[in-house]
Amino acid sequence: MAGARAAFQRVIDSGDPDVAPAAALDLGLVLKTLGDTHAARSSYQRAVDSGDPDVAPLAARDLGLLLRSMGVAQGAASAYRQAI
């Protein structure tokens, strides 16, 4: 997981608009799996904020699921609305 985390972060840091949003989404999953919910939230939000038409809706959905699991109901609802 540490290797995946580092690899995704390198792609995000590249700023390449074709791959950085997907890397942020994938990094969010890695961070969530590692139990770092706050970093996962940030990574998902970065993917949402990218506005990538393929990645942003998926990231918003995953952000909503994460926020719901954290007990942040309003934030989850907002993320779900963005996904839709």
Side-chain angles (χ1 to χ4, degrees):
M1 290 299 249
R5 182 178 187 168
F8 288 134
Q9 190 61 57
R10 279 193 303 276
V11 174
I12 294 165
D13 292 344
S14 78
D16 184 329
D18 292 328
V19 292
L25 173 62
D26 292 339
L27 178 59
L29 177 59
V30 168
L31 293 167
K32 181 181 173 187
T33 301
L34 292 172
D36 191 346
T37 56
H38 293 289
R41 180 179 184 173
S42 178
S43 193
Y44 286 142
Q45 188 63 59
R46 184 177 188 150
V48 170
D49 292 344
S50 75
D52 183 284
D54 297 320
V55 174
L58 297 172
R61 178 206 58 201
D62 288 356
L63 178 60
L65 292 169
L66 177 68
L67 291 172
R68 191 176 98 204
S69 75
M70 295 170 68
V72 184
Q74 272 194 313
S78 176
Y80 293 142
R81 280 191 294 277
Q82 280 186 290
I84 294 167

